[in-house]
Amino acid sequence: MTSLKKAKGKARRAAKAKAKEDEAVTNQPLGAQASQRNDAPMSGTTTTARCNHGLVPSHYHPQSHVASNNLQTCKWFLQAFVNEFDGTAGDFLAAYHATKEKCAVVWNDPSMMEFVVSFLLACGAGKVMEGNIKIASKYAALACYFEQYIQVELLNTRPFPNWPKIRELYAANSHTTVSFLKRRIPCSCLDEKYKEVKSIPKIGLCCSPECPLPCGKTELSATMCCSRCRAANYCSRECQVAAWQGHRGECGFYAELKAKFKENKENS
């Protein structure tokens, strides 16, 4: 009969082996297509060299309690979304509609979605430390979108996503990206980088299709938002007026959502 001491030793070795296996799963690129792309989360970098930036490659994520056997599911979901997102030139809603049924097990699970957000934040922080701000901005925008999806669809804590913020992150400069990531990771890995970039003006986007500025980019401090719906930003009064015919229907839709959300909260 196996002694109690030997049994405990065997259990410890098995636990260590499982932890290594989970770490390997966490640090693999997201699927076969991701392994060929430098912009795929965790491609060309890992979060385990020095700091995981809040992502723990063990049996459970400390905040979301995602079991290790669900890590692959979360990564499969993220890869599917990113493939659709890239294929539609960065259309968040198109990627959502293309994946909402086949990936429903993740979309409908707050814990899994929280892990996906944590995963993207860790990857984004890693890319910042590598000096790849463009890809870090993409990860930050995706994390922001999923973060707000949780708030709108799963927790009902806001009426609709803050689309200007999400789009600004996707087109962000180093200050916007580093600031967003720094506030959301528990470590101090981006503190020095933030000191380097905090003097750079943050970038805002004008929603007018006729905006004369290159790509509609301007300093965030110079933008103004639609006071009715607060779902669109503009660089000037002229751009807001020029875009009104196209924005009118969307403005009414978001204003109605906001009013219903406020009413429901007051009556609950």
Side-chain angles (χ1 to χ4, degrees), residues 126-148:
K127 287 299 181 182
V128 169
M129 295 179 73
E130 289 179 2
N132 196 334
I133 293 296
K134 181 178 180 180
I135 303 305
S137 297
K138 176 181 176 180
Y139 293 166
L142 289 169
C144 186
Y145 171 70
F146 291 135
E147 187 177 79
Q148 296 200 22

mmCIF file with all atom_site columns, all heavy atoms in Angstrom, residues 126-148:
data_model
loop_
_atom_site.group_PDB
_atom_site.id
_atom_site.type_symbol
_atom_site.label_atom_id
_atom_site.label_alt_id
_atom_site.label_comp_id
_atom_site.label_asym_id
_atom_site.label_entity_id
_atom_site.label_seq_id
_atom_site.pdbx_PDB_ins_code
_atom_site.Cartn_x
_atom_site.Cartn_y
_atom_site.Cartn_z
_atom_site.occupancy
_atom_site.B_iso_or_equiv
_atom_site.pdbx_formal_charge
_atom_site.auth_seq_id
_atom_site.auth_comp_id
_atom_site.auth_asym_id
_atom_site.auth_atom_id
_atom_site.pdbx_PDB_model_num
ATOM 1   N N   . GLY A 1 126 ? 2.055   44.140 -22.299 1.00 0.00 ? 126 GLY A N   1
ATOM 2   C CA  . GLY A 1 126 ? 3.261   43.523 -22.843 1.00 0.00 ? 126 GLY A CA  1
ATOM 3   C C   . GLY A 1 126 ? 3.726   44.193 -24.125 1.00 0.00 ? 126 GLY A C   1
ATOM 4   O O   . GLY A 1 126 ? 4.923   44.414 -24.329 1.00 0.00 ? 126 GLY A O   1
ATOM 5   N N   . LYS A 1 127 ? 2.770   44.536 -24.990 1.00 0.00 ? 127 LYS A N   1
ATOM 6   C CA  . LYS A 1 127 ? 3.117   45.198 -26.251 1.00 0.00 ? 127 LYS A CA  1
ATOM 7   C C   . LYS A 1 127 ? 3.653   46.612 -26.016 1.00 0.00 ? 127 LYS A C   1
ATOM 8   O O   . LYS A 1 127 ? 4.549   47.072 -26.731 1.00 0.00 ? 127 LYS A O   1
ATOM 9   C CB  . LYS A 1 127 ? 1.898   45.233 -27.181 1.00 0.00 ? 127 LYS A CB  1
ATOM 10  C CG  . LYS A 1 127 ? 1.542   43.884 -27.787 1.00 0.00 ? 127 LYS A CG  1
ATOM 11  C CD  . LYS A 1 127 ? 2.673   43.330 -28.629 1.00 0.00 ? 127 LYS A CD  1
ATOM 12  C CE  . LYS A 1 127 ? 2.319   41.994 -29.252 1.00 0.00 ? 127 LYS A CE  1
ATOM 13  N NZ  . LYS A 1 127 ? 3.441   41.418 -30.027 1.00 0.00 ? 127 LYS A NZ  1
ATOM 14  N N   . VAL A 1 128 ? 3.105   47.307 -25.030 1.00 0.00 ? 128 VAL A N   1
ATOM 15  C CA  . VAL A 1 128 ? 3.638   48.635 -24.687 1.00 0.00 ? 128 VAL A CA  1
ATOM 16  C C   . VAL A 1 128 ? 5.091   48.514 -24.267 1.00 0.00 ? 128 VAL A C   1
ATOM 17  O O   . VAL A 1 128 ? 5.956   49.293 -24.706 1.00 0.00 ? 128 VAL A O   1
ATOM 18  C CB  . VAL A 1 128 ? 2.817   49.289 -23.558 1.00 0.00 ? 128 VAL A CB  1
ATOM 19  C CG1 . VAL A 1 128 ? 3.538   50.530 -23.023 1.00 0.00 ? 128 VAL A CG1 1
ATOM 20  C CG2 . VAL A 1 128 ? 1.433   49.678 -24.061 1.00 0.00 ? 128 VAL A CG2 1
ATOM 21  N N   . MET A 1 129 ? 5.388   47.523 -23.448 1.00 0.00 ? 129 MET A N   1
ATOM 22  C CA  . MET A 1 129 ? 6.758   47.345 -22.963 1.00 0.00 ? 129 MET A CA  1
ATOM 23  C C   . MET A 1 129 ? 7.701   46.923 -24.080 1.00 0.00 ? 129 MET A C   1
ATOM 24  O O   . MET A 1 129 ? 8.904   47.155 -24.002 1.00 0.00 ? 129 MET A O   1
ATOM 25  C CB  . MET A 1 129 ? 6.761   46.326 -21.827 1.00 0.00 ? 129 MET A CB  1
ATOM 26  C CG  . MET A 1 129 ? 5.985   46.808 -20.601 1.00 0.00 ? 129 MET A CG  1
ATOM 27  S SD  . MET A 1 129 ? 5.933   45.636 -19.242 1.00 0.00 ? 129 MET A SD  1
ATOM 28  C CE  . MET A 1 129 ? 7.638   45.767 -18.658 1.00 0.00 ? 129 MET A CE  1
ATOM 29  N N   . GLU A 1 130 ? 7.153   46.325 -25.138 1.00 0.00 ? 130 GLU A N   1
ATOM 30  C CA  . GLU A 1 130 ? 7.965   45.994 -26.315 1.00 0.00 ? 130 GLU A CA  1
ATOM 31  C C   . GLU A 1 130 ? 8.139   47.204 -27.232 1.00 0.00 ? 130 GLU A C   1
ATOM 32  O O   . GLU A 1 130 ? 8.939   47.172 -28.162 1.00 0.00 ? 130 GLU A O   1
ATOM 33  C CB  . GLU A 1 130 ? 7.304   44.881 -27.130 1.00 0.00 ? 130 GLU A CB  1
ATOM 34  C CG  . GLU A 1 130 ? 7.332   43.513 -26.474 1.00 0.00 ? 130 GLU A CG  1
ATOM 35  C CD  . GLU A 1 130 ? 6.650   42.468 -27.329 1.00 0.00 ? 130 GLU A CD  1
ATOM 36  O OE1 . GLU A 1 130 ? 6.199   42.803 -28.447 1.00 0.00 ? 130 GLU A OE1 1
ATOM 37  O OE2 . GLU A 1 130 ? 6.563   41.324 -26.888 1.00 0.00 ? 130 GLU A OE2 1
ATOM 38  N N   . GLY A 1 131 ? 7.346   48.254 -27.006 1.00 0.00 ? 131 GLY A N   1
ATOM 39  C CA  . GLY A 1 131 ? 7.408   49.430 -27.860 1.00 0.00 ? 131 GLY A CA  1
ATOM 40  C C   . GLY A 1 131 ? 6.442   49.397 -29.024 1.00 0.00 ? 131 GLY A C   1
ATOM 41  O O   . GLY A 1 131 ? 6.515   50.246 -29.914 1.00 0.00 ? 131 GLY A O   1
ATOM 42  N N   . ASN A 1 132 ? 5.503   48.446 -29.024 1.00 0.00 ? 132 ASN A N   1
ATOM 43  C CA  . ASN A 1 132 ? 4.552   48.311 -30.119 1.00 0.00 ? 132 ASN A CA  1
ATOM 44  C C   . ASN A 1 132 ? 3.223   48.942 -29.719 1.00 0.00 ? 132 ASN A C   1
ATOM 45  O O   . ASN A 1 132 ? 2.271   48.257 -29.354 1.00 0.00 ? 132 ASN A O   1
ATOM 46  C CB  . ASN A 1 132 ? 4.360   46.829 -30.470 1.00 0.00 ? 132 ASN A CB  1
ATOM 47  C CG  . ASN A 1 132 ? 3.698   46.645 -31.830 1.00 0.00 ? 132 ASN A CG  1
ATOM 48  O OD1 . ASN A 1 132 ? 2.974   47.523 -32.297 1.00 0.00 ? 132 ASN A OD1 1
ATOM 49  N ND2 . ASN A 1 132 ? 3.937   45.512 -32.451 1.00 0.00 ? 132 ASN A ND2 1
ATOM 50  N N   . ILE A 1 133 ? 3.153   50.266 -29.803 1.00 0.00 ? 133 ILE A N   1
ATOM 51  C CA  . ILE A 1 133 ? 1.970   50.999 -29.363 1.00 0.00 ? 133 ILE A CA  1
ATOM 52  C C   . ILE A 1 133 ? 0.775   50.719 -30.277 1.00 0.00 ? 133 ILE A C   1
ATOM 53  O O   . ILE A 1 133 ? -0.371  50.656 -29.809 1.00 0.00 ? 133 ILE A O   1
ATOM 54  C CB  . ILE A 1 133 ? 2.249   52.516 -29.315 1.00 0.00 ? 133 ILE A CB  1
ATOM 55  C CG1 . ILE A 1 133 ? 3.275   52.824 -28.225 1.00 0.00 ? 133 ILE A CG1 1
ATOM 56  C CG2 . ILE A 1 133 ? 0.970   53.295 -29.055 1.00 0.00 ? 133 ILE A CG2 1
ATOM 57  C CD1 . ILE A 1 133 ? 2.800   52.510 -26.809 1.00 0.00 ? 133 ILE A CD1 1
ATOM 58  N N   . LYS A 1 134 ? 1.007   50.530 -31.550 1.00 0.00 ? 134 LYS A N   1
ATOM 59  C CA  . LYS A 1 134 ? -0.102  50.299 -32.480 1.00 0.00 ? 134 LYS A CA  1
ATOM 60  C C   . LYS A 1 134 ? -0.893  49.058 -32.089 1.00 0.00 ? 134 LYS A C   1
ATOM 61  O O   . LYS A 1 134 ? -2.128  49.083 -32.037 1.00 0.00 ? 134 LYS A O   1
ATOM 62  C CB  . LYS A 1 134 ? 0.437   50.152 -33.911 1.00 0.00 ? 134 LYS A CB  1
ATOM 63  C CG  . LYS A 1 134 ? -0.665  49.927 -34.944 1.00 0.00 ? 134 LYS A CG  1
ATOM 64  C CD  . LYS A 1 134 ? -0.086  49.827 -36.356 1.00 0.00 ? 134 LYS A CD  1
ATOM 65  C CE  . LYS A 1 134 ? -1.210  49.602 -37.371 1.00 0.00 ? 134 LYS A CE  1
ATOM 66  N NZ  . LYS A 1 134 ? -0.666  49.502 -38.750 1.00 0.00 ? 134 LYS A NZ  1
ATOM 67  N N   . ILE A 1 135 ? -0.211  47.958 -31.828 1.00 0.00 ? 135 ILE A N   1
ATOM 68  C CA  . ILE A 1 135 ? -0.903  46.726 -31.455 1.00 0.00 ? 135 ILE A CA  1
ATOM 69  C C   . ILE A 1 135 ? -1.456  46.835 -30.043 1.00 0.00 ? 135 ILE A C   1
ATOM 70  O O   . ILE A 1 135 ? -2.543  46.337 -29.750 1.00 0.00 ? 135 ILE A O   1
ATOM 71  C CB  . ILE A 1 135 ? 0.031   45.504 -31.574 1.00 0.00 ? 135 ILE A CB  1
ATOM 72  C CG1 . ILE A 1 135 ? 0.575   45.399 -33.003 1.00 0.00 ? 135 ILE A CG1 1
ATOM 73  C CG2 . ILE A 1 135 ? -0.695  44.219 -31.205 1.00 0.00 ? 135 ILE A CG2 1
ATOM 74  C CD1 . ILE A 1 135 ? -0.502  45.353 -34.076 1.00 0.00 ? 135 ILE A CD1 1
ATOM 75  N N   . ALA A 1 136 ? -0.737  47.521 -29.147 1.00 0.00 ? 136 ALA A N   1
ATOM 76  C CA  . ALA A 1 136 ? -1.245  47.746 -27.789 1.00 0.00 ? 136 ALA A CA  1
ATOM 77  C C   . ALA A 1 136 ? -2.558  48.518 -27.834 1.00 0.00 ? 136 ALA A C   1
ATOM 78  O O   . ALA A 1 136 ? -3.479  48.239 -27.050 1.00 0.00 ? 136 ALA A O   1
ATOM 79  C CB  . ALA A 1 136 ? -0.211  48.496 -26.964 1.00 0.00 ? 136 ALA A CB  1
ATOM 80  N N   . SER A 1 137 ? -2.672  49.480 -28.752 1.00 0.00 ? 137 SER A N   1
ATOM 81  C CA  . SER A 1 137 ? -3.905  50.256 -28.890 1.00 0.00 ? 137 SER A CA  1
ATOM 82  C C   . SER A 1 137 ? -5.055  49.373 -29.345 1.00 0.00 ? 137 SER A C   1
ATOM 83  O O   . SER A 1 137 ? -6.202  49.531 -28.893 1.00 0.00 ? 137 SER A O   1
ATOM 84  C CB  . SER A 1 137 ? -3.698  51.401 -29.889 1.00 0.00 ? 137 SER A CB  1
ATOM 85  O OG  . SER A 1 137 ? -2.723  52.311 -29.425 1.00 0.00 ? 137 SER A OG  1
ATOM 86  N N   . LYS A 1 138 ? -4.768  48.448 -30.223 1.00 0.00 ? 138 LYS A N   1
ATOM 87  C CA  . LYS A 1 138 ? -5.800  47.510 -30.681 1.00 0.00 ? 138 LYS A CA  1
ATOM 88  C C   . LYS A 1 138 ? -6.298  46.664 -29.523 1.00 0.00 ? 138 LYS A C   1
ATOM 89  O O   . LYS A 1 138 ? -7.508  46.491 -29.334 1.00 0.00 ? 138 LYS A O   1
ATOM 90  C CB  . LYS A 1 138 ? -5.229  46.616 -31.785 1.00 0.00 ? 138 LYS A CB  1
ATOM 91  C CG  . LYS A 1 138 ? -6.186  45.535 -32.278 1.00 0.00 ? 138 LYS A CG  1
ATOM 92  C CD  . LYS A 1 138 ? -5.523  44.695 -33.362 1.00 0.00 ? 138 LYS A CD  1
ATOM 93  C CE  . LYS A 1 138 ? -6.413  43.546 -33.802 1.00 0.00 ? 138 LYS A CE  1
ATOM 94  N NZ  . LYS A 1 138 ? -5.781  42.728 -34.860 1.00 0.00 ? 138 LYS A NZ  1
ATOM 95  N N   . TYR A 1 139 ? -5.376  46.127 -28.721 1.00 0.00 ? 139 TYR A N   1
ATOM 96  C CA  . TYR A 1 139 ? -5.766  45.313 -27.570 1.00 0.00 ? 139 TYR A CA  1
ATOM 97  C C   . TYR A 1 139 ? -6.556  46.144 -26.564 1.00 0.00 ? 139 TYR A C   1
ATOM 98  O O   . TYR A 1 139 ? -7.522  45.666 -25.968 1.00 0.00 ? 139 TYR A O   1
ATOM 99  C CB  . TYR A 1 139 ? -4.537  44.719 -26.893 1.00 0.00 ? 139 TYR A CB  1
ATOM 100 C CG  . TYR A 1 139 ? -3.791  43.690 -27.714 1.00 0.00 ? 139 TYR A CG  1
ATOM 101 C CD1 . TYR A 1 139 ? -2.513  43.280 -27.341 1.00 0.00 ? 139 TYR A CD1 1
ATOM 102 C CD2 . TYR A 1 139 ? -4.349  43.134 -28.852 1.00 0.00 ? 139 TYR A CD2 1
ATOM 103 C CE1 . TYR A 1 139 ? -1.824  42.332 -28.085 1.00 0.00 ? 139 TYR A CE1 1
ATOM 104 C CE2 . TYR A 1 139 ? -3.667  42.205 -29.601 1.00 0.00 ? 139 TYR A CE2 1
ATOM 105 C CZ  . TYR A 1 139 ? -2.395  41.800 -29.217 1.00 0.00 ? 139 TYR A CZ  1
ATOM 106 O OH  . TYR A 1 139 ? -1.714  40.872 -29.951 1.00 0.00 ? 139 TYR A OH  1
ATOM 107 N N   . ALA A 1 140 ? -6.136  47.401 -26.351 1.00 0.00 ? 140 ALA A N   1
ATOM 108 C CA  . ALA A 1 140 ? -6.836  48.281 -25.417 1.00 0.00 ? 140 ALA A CA  1
ATOM 109 C C   . ALA A 1 140 ? -8.262  48.544 -25.889 1.00 0.00 ? 140 ALA A C   1
ATOM 110 O O   . ALA A 1 140 ? -9.205  48.527 -25.085 1.00 0.00 ? 140 ALA A O   1
ATOM 111 C CB  . ALA A 1 140 ? -6.071  49.594 -25.256 1.00 0.00 ? 140 ALA A CB  1
ATOM 112 N N   . ALA A 1 141 ? -8.428  48.788 -27.185 1.00 0.00 ? 141 ALA A N   1
ATOM 113 C CA  . ALA A 1 141 ? -9.772  49.039 -27.732 1.00 0.00 ? 141 ALA A CA  1
ATOM 114 C C   . ALA A 1 141 ? -10.658 47.815 -27.592 1.00 0.00 ? 141 ALA A C   1
ATOM 115 O O   . ALA A 1 141 ? -11.842 47.919 -27.237 1.00 0.00 ? 141 ALA A O   1
ATOM 116 C CB  . ALA A 1 141 ? -9.669  49.456 -29.198 1.00 0.00 ? 141 ALA A CB  1
ATOM 117 N N   . LEU A 1 142 ? -10.108 46.635 -27.873 1.00 0.00 ? 142 LEU A N   1
ATOM 118 C CA  . LEU A 1 142 ? -10.880 45.400 -27.722 1.00 0.00 ? 142 LEU A CA  1
ATOM 119 C C   . LEU A 1 142 ? -11.257 45.174 -26.261 1.00 0.00 ? 142 LEU A C   1
ATOM 120 O O   . LEU A 1 142 ? -12.395 44.813 -25.948 1.00 0.00 ? 142 LEU A O   1
ATOM 121 C CB  . LEU A 1 142 ? -10.071 44.210 -28.246 1.00 0.00 ? 142 LEU A CB  1
ATOM 122 C CG  . LEU A 1 142 ? -9.887  44.138 -29.760 1.00 0.00 ? 142 LEU A CG  1
ATOM 123 C CD1 . LEU A 1 142 ? -8.851  43.073 -30.127 1.00 0.00 ? 142 LEU A CD1 1
ATOM 124 C CD2 . LEU A 1 142 ? -11.205 43.832 -30.463 1.00 0.00 ? 142 LEU A CD2 1
ATOM 125 N N   . ALA A 1 143 ? -10.312 45.410 -25.350 1.00 0.00 ? 143 ALA A N   1
ATOM 126 C CA  . ALA A 1 143 ? -10.586 45.254 -23.922 1.00 0.00 ? 143 ALA A CA  1
ATOM 127 C C   . ALA A 1 143 ? -11.688 46.219 -23.485 1.00 0.00 ? 143 ALA A C   1
ATOM 128 O O   . ALA A 1 143 ? -12.587 45.851 -22.714 1.00 0.00 ? 143 ALA A O   1
ATOM 129 C CB  . ALA A 1 143 ? -9.320  45.491 -23.104 1.00 0.00 ? 143 ALA A CB  1
ATOM 130 N N   . CYS A 1 144 ? -11.635 47.445 -23.966 1.00 0.00 ? 144 CYS A N   1
ATOM 131 C CA  . CYS A 1 144 ? -12.641 48.445 -23.623 1.00 0.00 ? 144 CYS A CA  1
ATOM 132 C C   . CYS A 1 144 ? -14.012 48.031 -24.146 1.00 0.00 ? 144 CYS A C   1
ATOM 133 O O   . CYS A 1 144 ? -15.031 48.155 -23.449 1.00 0.00 ? 144 CYS A O   1
ATOM 134 C CB  . CYS A 1 144 ? -12.243 49.801 -24.196 1.00 0.00 ? 144 CYS A CB  1
ATOM 135 S SG  . CYS A 1 144 ? -13.325 51.163 -23.709 1.00 0.00 ? 144 CYS A SG  1
ATOM 136 N N   . TYR A 1 145 ? -14.051 47.527 -25.375 1.00 0.00 ? 145 TYR A N   1
ATOM 137 C CA  . TYR A 1 145 ? -15.326 47.086 -25.958 1.00 0.00 ? 145 TYR A CA  1
ATOM 138 C C   . TYR A 1 145 ? -15.930 45.945 -25.150 1.00 0.00 ? 145 TYR A C   1
ATOM 139 O O   . TYR A 1 145 ? -17.124 45.969 -24.805 1.00 0.00 ? 145 TYR A O   1
ATOM 140 C CB  . TYR A 1 145 ? -15.128 46.648 -27.410 1.00 0.00 ? 145 TYR A CB  1
ATOM 141 C CG  . TYR A 1 145 ? -16.353 45.980 -27.989 1.00 0.00 ? 145 TYR A CG  1
ATOM 142 C CD1 . TYR A 1 145 ? -17.504 46.724 -28.265 1.00 0.00 ? 145 TYR A CD1 1
ATOM 143 C CD2 . TYR A 1 145 ? -16.374 44.618 -28.242 1.00 0.00 ? 145 TYR A CD2 1
ATOM 144 C CE1 . TYR A 1 145 ? -18.642 46.116 -28.783 1.00 0.00 ? 145 TYR A CE1 1
ATOM 145 C CE2 . TYR A 1 145 ? -17.504 44.004 -28.751 1.00 0.00 ? 145 TYR A CE2 1
ATOM 146 C CZ  . TYR A 1 145 ? -18.632 44.751 -29.025 1.00 0.00 ? 145 TYR A CZ  1
ATOM 147 O OH  . TYR A 1 145 ? -19.756 44.146 -29.522 1.00 0.00 ? 145 TYR A OH  1
ATOM 148 N N   . PHE A 1 146 ? -15.133 44.931 -24.824 1.00 0.00 ? 146 PHE A N   1
ATOM 149 C CA  . PHE A 1 146 ? -15.639 43.795 -24.046 1.00 0.00 ? 146 PHE A CA  1
ATOM 150 C C   . PHE A 1 146 ? -16.016 44.225 -22.623 1.00 0.00 ? 146 PHE A C   1
ATOM 151 O O   . PHE A 1 146 ? -16.995 43.736 -22.058 1.00 0.00 ? 146 PHE A O   1
ATOM 152 C CB  . PHE A 1 146 ? -14.600 42.679 -24.001 1.00 0.00 ? 146 PHE A CB  1
ATOM 153 C CG  . PHE A 1 146 ? -14.376 42.005 -25.321 1.00 0.00 ? 146 PHE A CG  1
ATOM 154 C CD1 . PHE A 1 146 ? -13.094 41.729 -25.772 1.00 0.00 ? 146 PHE A CD1 1
ATOM 155 C CD2 . PHE A 1 146 ? -15.438 41.636 -26.126 1.00 0.00 ? 146 PHE A CD2 1
ATOM 156 C CE1 . PHE A 1 146 ? -12.876 41.104 -26.986 1.00 0.00 ? 146 PHE A CE1 1
ATOM 157 C CE2 . PHE A 1 146 ? -15.238 41.012 -27.348 1.00 0.00 ? 146 PHE A CE2 1
ATOM 158 C CZ  . PHE A 1 146 ? -13.950 40.741 -27.781 1.00 0.00 ? 146 PHE A CZ  1
ATOM 159 N N   . GLU A 1 147 ? -15.235 45.120 -22.057 1.00 0.00 ? 147 GLU A N   1
ATOM 160 C CA  . GLU A 1 147 ? -15.513 45.647 -20.723 1.00 0.00 ? 147 GLU A CA  1
ATOM 161 C C   . GLU A 1 147 ? -16.886 46.317 -20.699 1.00 0.00 ? 147 GLU A C   1
ATOM 162 O O   . GLU A 1 147 ? -17.695 46.095 -19.775 1.00 0.00 ? 147 GLU A O   1
ATOM 163 C CB  . GLU A 1 147 ? -14.415 46.649 -20.368 1.00 0.00 ? 147 GLU A CB  1
ATOM 164 C CG  . GLU A 1 147 ? -14.417 47.191 -18.962 1.00 0.00 ? 147 GLU A CG  1
ATOM 165 C CD  . GLU A 1 147 ? -13.230 48.124 -18.748 1.00 0.00 ? 147 GLU A CD  1
ATOM 166 O OE1 . GLU A 1 147 ? -13.300 49.292 -19.190 1.00 0.00 ? 147 GLU A OE1 1
ATOM 167 O OE2 . GLU A 1 147 ? -12.225 47.684 -18.159 1.00 0.00 ? 147 GLU A OE2 1
ATOM 168 N N   . GLN A 1 148 ? -17.175 47.090 -21.732 1.00 0.00 ? 148 GLN A N   1
ATOM 169 C CA  . GLN A 1 148 ? -18.450 47.793 -21.778 1.00 0.00 ? 148 GLN A CA  1
ATOM 170 C C   . GLN A 1 148 ? -19.592 46.875 -22.211 1.00 0.00 ? 148 GLN A C   1
ATOM 171 O O   . GLN A 1 148 ? -20.747 47.090 -21.816 1.00 0.00 ? 148 GLN A O   1
ATOM 172 C CB  . GLN A 1 148 ? -18.335 49.008 -22.687 1.00 0.00 ? 148 GLN A CB  1
ATOM 173 C CG  . GLN A 1 148 ? -17.340 50.015 -22.146 1.00 0.00 ? 148 GLN A CG  1
ATOM 174 C CD  . GLN A 1 148 ? -17.518 51.409 -22.701 1.00 0.00 ? 148 GLN A CD  1
ATOM 175 O OE1 . GLN A 1 148 ? -18.576 51.786 -23.180 1.00 0.00 ? 148 GLN A OE1 1
ATOM 176 N NE2 . GLN A 1 148 ? -16.464 52.199 -22.609 1.00 0.00 ? 148 GLN A NE2 1
#
